C-alpha cells in the first residue's frame, strides 16, 4: 500500500490526476489539498511515500516548500507537478531537493511513467529535462539562448516575487534574507536580463517565457 499526497488547488486537475494515480497504483491511500499550510499539516501527521506538489498554490513558498517538507519527512519522494516552464525551472527544483519534475502539459502516458518511475526508483526526469541537463554540461554557452536559464535558484525566487508585485522588504521577509541581499539579487537579475526597471522585467520575462 502506497501513501500519496496531491497538492493542487484546481479540483478538476486533482480529480484527473488521482484517477491516473489509482490506475498506476491500485493499492494506494491518497490525501489531497489545495494549499501549502494544509499540505504541511498532512505531512506532519501522515507517513507518505510520494507527494505530487504544484508550485503555484495558495500560500505556496516556491523553492522553500521542498525544504519545509523535508524537515518533516526527509525520505519522502517529491514530484513537482506544475505548469511553470520546465526548461527554466526543472533543474533548479531538482537541485533544491525534488525527486522529479513533471509538466502539466505532459501526456497521460508520461504522467503514468513519471509516477511509476519515482515510486520504483525515487527519481524522474522527462526527456526534455535530460536533454537540457546534457546541453548544459556539454555546451554551457547554450544557456545564452534564453537568459532566464542563467539565473540562480535564489535569483529566480527573487524575480518571481518581484513579478508578483512584492517590495524589497516583503521579499526579504519571505526569503529570510536582508534587504541589501535582495537589492543585490535585483541588480544581478536586471543585468542578466538586460533591463532597467520592473516594468521592463515584466515585458522581458513575458517574451522569454514564450520563447520558441
Amino acid at each position: 500500500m502506497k501513501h500519496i499526497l496531491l497538492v493542487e488547488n484546481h479540483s478538476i486537475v486533482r480529480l484527473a490526476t488521482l484517477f491516473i494515480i489509482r490506475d498506476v497504483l491500485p493499492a494506494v491511500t491518497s490525501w489531497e489539498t489545495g494549499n501549502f499550510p494544509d499540505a504541511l499539516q498532512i505531512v506532519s501527521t501522515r507517513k507518505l511515500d510520494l507527494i505530487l506538489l504544484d508550485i503555484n498554490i495558495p500560500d505556496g513558498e516556491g523553492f522553500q516548500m521542498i525544504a519545509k517538507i523535508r524537515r518533516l519527512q526527509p525520505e519522502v519522494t517529491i514530484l513537482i507537478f506544475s505548469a511553470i516552464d520546465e526548461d527554466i525551472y526543472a533543474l533548479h527544483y531538482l537541485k533544491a531537493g525534488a525527486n522529479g519534475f513533471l509538466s502539466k502539459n505532459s501526456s497521460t502516458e508520461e504522467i503514468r511513467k513519471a509516477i511509476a518511475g519515482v515510486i520504483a526508483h525515487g527519481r524522474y526526469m522527462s526527456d526534455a529535462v535530460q536533454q537540457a541537463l546534457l546541453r548544459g554540461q556539454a555546451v554551457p554557452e547554450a544557456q545564452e539562448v534564453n537568459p532566464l536559464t542563467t539565473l540562480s535558484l535564489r535569483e529566480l525566487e527573487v524575480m518571481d516575487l518581484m513579478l508578483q508585485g512584492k517590495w524589497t522588504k516583503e521579499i526579504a521577509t519571505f526569503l529570510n534574507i536582508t534587504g541589501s541581499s535582495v537589492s543585490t539579487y535585483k541588480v544581478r537579475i536586471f543585468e542578466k536580463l538586460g533591463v532597467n526597471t520592473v516594468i521592463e522585467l515584466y515585458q522581458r520575462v513575458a517574451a522569454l517565457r514564450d520563447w520558441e
Side-chain angles (χ1 to χ4, degrees):
M1 177 70 72
K2 297 297 182 181
H3 300 83
I4 294 178
L5 170 62
L6 174 60
V7 188
E8 161 63 54
N9 63 312
H10 295 98
S11 58
I12 188 67
V13 177
R14 288 202 304 269
L15 181 65
T17 305
L18 286 171
F19 180 83
I20 296 172
I21 289 172
R22 288 167 183 152
D23 184 47
V24 175
L25 303 167
V28 63
T29 298
S30 62
W31 293 267
E32 55 183 287
T33 182
N35 64 75
F36 189 58
D38 285 351
L40 281 182
Q41 178 62 31
I42 294 170
V43 173
S44 68
T45 57
R46 307 287 183 179
K47 178 63 176 176
L48 301 166
D49 298 293
L50 172 64
I51 299 173
L52 275 78
L53 177 66
D54 191 8
I55 300 305
N56 297 320
I57 55 174
D59 298 311
E61 301 178 20
F63 296 101
Q64 310 294 324
M65 294 191 288
I66 296 175
K68 289 192 173 184
I69 290 171
R70 292 255 178 254
R71 281 197 287 270
L72 294 170
Q73 293 200 40
E75 303 303 320
V76 69
T77 298
I78 301 173
L79 177 62
I80 303 299
F81 185 46
S82 180
I84 62 175
D85 299 323
E86 184 177 28
D87 290 344
I88 296 167
Y89 288 89
L91 293 180
H92 285 292
Y93 273 98
L94 292 173
K95 290 176 182 177
N99 299 86
F101 187 103
L102 177 64
S103 171
K104 286 184 179 178
N105 296 320
S106 300
S107 66
T108 299
E109 185 55 39
E110 188 69 20
I111 296 172
R112 287 194 183 99
K113 176 182 175 183
I115 294 170
V118 292
I119 286 292
H121 309 295
R123 199 74 172 168
Y124 168 79
M125 284 194 291
S126 69
D127 291 340
V129 173
Q130 291 183 51
Q131 289 301 316
L133 182 60
L134 290 173
R135 286 197 304 272
Q137 292 175 339
V139 190
E141 60 270 21
Q143 290 186 338
E144 296 174 6
V145 173
N146 188 332
L148 287 174
T149 62
T150 69
L151 299 180
S152 70
L153 186 153
R154 182 64 89 186
E155 288 164 354
L156 277 172
E157 287 182 312
V158 172
M159 183 192 76
D160 284 341
L161 291 169
M162 290 171 63
L163 294 177
Q164 293 173 28
K166 295 189 182 299
W167 298 94
T168 296
K169 186 175 181 180
E170 293 176 292
I171 296 172
T173 300
F174 185 86
L175 297 178
N176 195 28
I177 57 178
T178 65
S180 61
S181 293
V182 174
S183 297
T184 298
Y185 287 121
K186 284 184 178 180
V187 170
R188 293 178 186 171
I189 292 164
F190 281 12
E191 287 179 348
K192 289 182 178 181
L193 299 186
V195 300
N196 296 300
T197 67
V198 174
I199 292 176
E200 289 181 6
L201 179 65
Y202 273 104
Q203 296 169 338
R204 180 68 165 144
V205 171
L208 290 169
R209 283 177 171 167
D210 288 334
W211 194 278
E212 294 294 336

